[in-house]
Amino acid sequence: MSRFAVEVIGVAKRFGKVAALDGIHLTIRPNEFVSLLGPSGCGKSTLLRIVAGFEFPTTGRVLIHGKDTTRVPPERRPTNIVFQRGALFPHMNVFDNIAYSLKLRKWPKPRIAAKVEEMLSLVHLENLGHRGATELSGGQIQRAALARALAAEPSVLLLDEPLSALDLKLRQQMQIELRAIQRKLRATFLFVTHDQTEALVMSDRIAIMNEGRIIQEGTPQEVYTRPVSAFASGFIGETNLLQGIVVSTEDLVVTLAVGEEGHFRAKTSLPLAPGTRVTLSVRPEAIRVGVRESSGNGQGMLGHIGEVVYLGSRIRIGAVTRNGAVVWADLRDDEAEGLKAGTPVVLSWAPSAASVWAESSD
Amino acid sequence: MTGPRTRAHGLLAWGFAVAVLLYLFVPVAVTVLFSFTTSPRLSLPVTGLTLDWYEKAFSNPLFTDALANSLILAFLSAVVAGVLGASFAFGVARLRRRTRNILLTAGVLPAIVPALVLGISLALFFQEAGLSQGLRNAAIGQALVGLPFVILTMYARLETFDFSTLEAARDLGASPWRAFRDITFPLVRPSLLGAALLAMALSLDDFVVTWFNVGSRQTLPVLIWGLLRRGIDPSINALASTVLLSLVTLVVLAKLLNRKKL
């Protein structure tokens, strides 16, 4: 028995001449909720389909609980999948949909009935077993599809953007429920999504994908606070990107010059030699905005307020720097008091709130 | 329209519509009507009604033989066109758009080849191949006539078919065959039956392709044509009405089955 529920080892997938996946390594521990997050066409669904057995990789291997399943067809894998639009069998009612895998396993009828009832109550569809699959609402379809997949008692549950067809409110509610079900069953979930909020809310670990590769892997906090590239920082949450040149590195703190704006410091674990061109990323909520009294004293970036946008829970300030770039900052009501378009300001942030990486790394 | 619609306008429009419909239906209606009248000639007014012509037709061994042949051919072409057309549509539905459109067009094209050309081509082909004329050749020809319609009907159904349900079935433990039996077949069955009935109707109705290939055997349309050459006998009206009734039934059934969509 392996320590891992899923091991994806050096998987590549080509469709004709197009490389959909390239050099994918991913391991998932038992009871872990892992999300594959990326824009459409990044290969996340292809990776999920390879784990499910609908596609075979061009090279590389897939192990499930230590067993090589690279070329095993889907019906002989201990995985089950929830599709984007449910894919319920339209000529069956909810009960028969959920019971399908159990009938194939020739369970006795009373045992099937008990299991289906258990699943129906798990997904809060009690009393809807007799309902036809085509008579369900969008949310009910996904609940039934989840119950159908879980009834088969998969050792890994795969979810292919199962919430993306639902409206925002229902989606948020289902995110919480899905997470609760995963905890309750102590199950292993591999979840595909293009919605960063969804990934942040539900996952133990997130793998950010772009152009067929995993570009960063970590806990939601890690990928949010320490993005490894401009793409990662832009894809998870919002951020300000600034170009600069390294002046010096000392005790994991790099000092860099950003245009004529002065010197800034950022925490980094990368060995950055002086002179390296780098990109600096600072989240809007990490930026402090102070009203500038004089022409400044070298502490922070100088500019003036271009826009003030009211977002309800916070106020977003768009500050125009001297070279014309716009830096966005999110402030609380009280912090934004007295700031209006035209106010000269000085922008600053803590070195630990900024990420920095060499410009070519993306 | 600029002015208000007058009563005269309305009457004119109605009159026109009725005239067109009469043109469409009177010949058929006359045939059906005179299959039930006592007079041996097509004449009005109708003097009395009878089922004698049907009795005469059904007791004629020529007719029963032709009917049997027609039913065999209809069944064969429904099965052949149904299986081939459905398989073709399934294969095509999974292809990329461009390839799919080309193959689909090619599969449907024979529907616009004139029956005369089709009949003669097949006859020549069978002769070259050393296959003597008979029911077998007629069956092959009729299935060919029905095939494009089956392909179209089945493809229309598969366009709205959710193929991820098949993946779901496999994922839940079904073998490819089991997934076909439990999911695909039940879902396409109404359309497949409808398409097969359509092929059946086209077979029953076909004269030209059959006539060139069936040799000395008789089918209903071939028999009717032969009898007509010897003069109008009201029992021909009975024959034609029988064919008409079966065709209408088949087409209505086919329509009903295809309307049931999931």
Side-chain angles (χ1 to χ4, degrees):
Chain A
M1 207 62 178
S2 162
R3 290 188 300 125
F4 296 111
V6 179
E7 291 162 85
V8 175
I9 305 162
V11 159
K13 177 70 181 175
R14 312 186 133 269
F15 294 107
K17 288 190 172 175
V18 185
L21 291 175
D22 195 12
I24 298 284
H25 290 272
L26 180 70
T27 51
I28 302 171
R29 284 184 294 276
N31 311 337
E32 206 178 11
F33 195 128
V34 174
S35 290
L36 299 175
L37 173 67
S40 60
C42 72
K44 57 190 192 297
S45 284
T46 305
L47 180 55
L48 193 80
R49 292 174 59 80
I50 284 175
V51 177
F54 298 129
E55 311 274 358
F56 293 153
T58 313
T59 57
R61 294 193 302 148
V62 177
L63 273 54
I64 296 174
H65 287 292
K67 256 184 72 185
D68 193 324
T69 55
T70 311
R71 306 252 153 210
V72 175
E75 64 265 32
R76 290 197 275 117
R77 290 190 187 214
T79 56
N80 286 103
I81 190 166
V82 179
F83 287 94
Q84 194 169 8
R85 291 180 184 280
L88 294 180
F89 307 132
H91 57 307
M92 296 182 190
N93 63 22
V94 173
F95 185 100
D96 289 334
N97 263 284
I98 299 174
Y100 188 70
S101 63
L102 310 175
K103 282 179 185 163
L104 288 175
R105 286 179 202 169
K106 302 200 165 63
W107 281 23
K109 272 196 173 141
R111 195 171 160 212
I112 292 180
K115 181 75 183 180
V116 173
E117 287 308 321
E118 184 195 329
M119 288 300 120
L120 284 172
S121 79
L122 180 71
V123 300
H124 303 299
L125 284 183
E126 300 96 338
N127 307 322
L128 284 184
H130 61 279
R131 188 74 71 83
T134 53
E135 301 162 351
L136 301 176
S137 70
Q140 288 169 339
I141 288 174
Q142 291 313 103
R143 285 167 194 271
L146 178 66
R148 182 178 68 177
L150 286 173
E153 298 179 341
S155 70
V156 182
L157 185 75
L158 311 170
L159 303 104
D160 190 4
E161 307 210 27
L163 308 181
S164 64
L166 308 179
D167 62 54
L168 181 64
K169 198 131 195 218
L170 187 56
R171 196 157 71 223
Q172 288 171 336
Q173 186 195 336
M174 295 278 289
Q175 286 165 6
I176 305 296
E177 276 187 46
L178 209 50
R179 179 83 233 222
I181 287 173
Q182 186 259 341
R183 291 249 167 90
K184 185 173 168 190
L185 300 178
R186 302 178 52 77
T188 312
F189 278 28
L190 179 57
F191 187 95
V192 159
T193 181
H194 65 265
D195 180 340
Q196 40 120 347
T197 317
E198 202 161 276
L200 290 174
V201 168
M202 293 195 292
S203 317
D204 293 316
R205 227 148 34 89
I206 298 175
I208 303 176
M209 293 186 66
N210 191 31
E211 293 175 348
R213 295 170 175 277
I214 292 176
I215 55 171
Q216 187 171 8
E217 217 185 305
T219 65
Q221 218 161 11
E222 281 164 5
V223 296
Y224 186 80
T225 56
R226 305 244 57 96
V228 297
S229 71
F231 177 83
S233 71
F235 200 76
I236 289 237
E238 289 164 298
T239 196
N240 294 294
L241 296 177
L242 301 163
Q243 320 296 325
I245 292 172
V246 175
V247 178
S248 65
T249 311
E250 198 179 307
D251 292 340
L252 300 182
V253 174
V254 62
T255 302
L256 49 127
V258 177
E260 293 149 23
E261 309 296 332
H263 289 189
F264 299 92
R265 301 193 317 144
K267 235 179 150 161
T268 183
S269 50
L270 303 170
L272 293 169
T276 312
R277 299 186 66 83
V278 291
T279 302
L280 176 85
S281 159
V282 200
R283 302 279 181 197
E285 66 270 20
I287 293 182
R288 292 189 293 267
V289 181
V291 178
R292 174 154 49 103
E293 311 291 352
S294 62
S295 62
N297 51 8
Q299 297 292 309
M301 186 175 275
L302 305 181
H304 64 270
I305 292 177
E307 275 182 85
V308 179
V309 184
Y310 185 65
L311 298 178
S313 60
R314 57 203 197 280
I315 290 172
R316 174 162 295 182
I317 305 286
V320 183
T321 64
R322 281 181 304 187
N323 61 11
V326 178
V327 174
W328 297 97
D330 285 356
L331 306 176
R332 292 195 312 270
D333 272 15
D334 56 323
E335 292 171 327
E337 224 165 60
L339 299 178
K340 54 180 189 292
T343 310
V345 289
V346 53
L347 309 167
S348 59
W349 52 85
S352 61
S355 301
V356 71
W357 48 84
E359 216 155 73
S360 61
S361 78
D362 200 351
Chain B
M1 284 239 177
T2 48
R5 224 185 156 127
T6 64
R7 201 179 150 72
H9 267 122
L11 280 178
L12 207 65
W14 272 109
F16 179 74
V18 169
V20 169
L21 287 176
L22 280 177
Y23 176 44
L24 284 171
F25 287 103
V26 160
V28 176
V30 164
T31 302
V32 175
L33 176 66
F34 281 98
S35 72
F36 291 109
T37 58
T38 47
S39 152
R41 291 211 170 70
L42 301 181
S43 63
L44 287 167
V46 172
T47 49
L49 295 175
T50 177
L51 285 173
D52 284 356
W53 305 118
Y54 285 88
E55 209 192 313
K56 197 181 163 205
F58 276 89
S59 60
N60 180 349
L62 271 180
F63 169 74
T64 45
D65 181 50
L67 178 65
N69 287 343
S70 270
L71 290 179
I72 291 168
L73 287 176
F75 177 75
L76 281 177
S77 54
V79 171
V80 173
V83 170
L84 291 184
S87 315
F88 186 84
F90 259 101
V92 163
R94 301 244 189 173
L95 295 173
R96 275 178 309 144
R97 193 188 185 83
R98 232 181 101 80
T99 334
R100 190 176 63 203
N101 285 342
I102 293 171
L103 284 181
L104 208 56
T105 310
V108 171
L109 213 54
I112 60 160
V113 174
L116 190 65
V117 175
L118 214 56
I120 294 173
S121 310
L122 277 171
L124 291 172
F125 169 77
F126 287 134
Q127 198 181 16
E128 286 299 315
L131 297 168
S132 57
Q133 293 187 322
L135 287 185
R136 175 196 54 212
N137 291 8
I140 296 173
Q142 290 184 356
L144 194 161
V145 169
L147 196 47
F149 296 92
V150 176
I151 291 175
L152 269 187
T153 311
M154 288 310 293
Y155 180 73
R157 171 63 185 94
L158 293 180
E159 261 192 319
T160 59
F161 189 84
D162 181 3
F163 282 96
S164 60
T165 54
L166 297 186
E167 291 190 332
R170 295 287 304 279
D171 185 65
L172 293 166
S175 63
W177 160 247
R178 189 70 200 250
F180 176 81
R181 206 189 79 185
D182 291 347
I183 314 299
T184 316
F185 188 66
L187 287 177
V188 302
R189 186 169 43 208
S191 298
L192 187 58
L193 264 176
L197 290 181
L198 205 61
M200 213 175 234
L202 287 164
S203 155
L204 276 181
D205 177 50
D206 182 73
F207 170 70
V208 180
V209 173
T210 310
W211 190 77
F212 277 104
N213 293 286
V214 81
S216 56
R217 309 293 293 270
Q218 303 279 359
T219 67
L220 281 182
V222 172
L223 176 68
I224 292 172
W225 180 77
L227 293 176
L228 275 173
R229 295 180 69 188
R230 284 191 254 132
I232 307 267
D233 169 346
S235 66
I236 295 175
N237 291 332
L239 287 187
S241 301
T242 309
V243 175
L244 177 71
L245 180 69
S246 7
L247 285 180
V248 169
T249 312
L250 288 174
V251 171
V252 167
L253 272 179
K255 267 265 177 261
L256 285 178
L257 285 167
N258 272 318
R259 209 168 48 183
K260 222 167 98 188
K261 273 212 177 118
L262 284 164

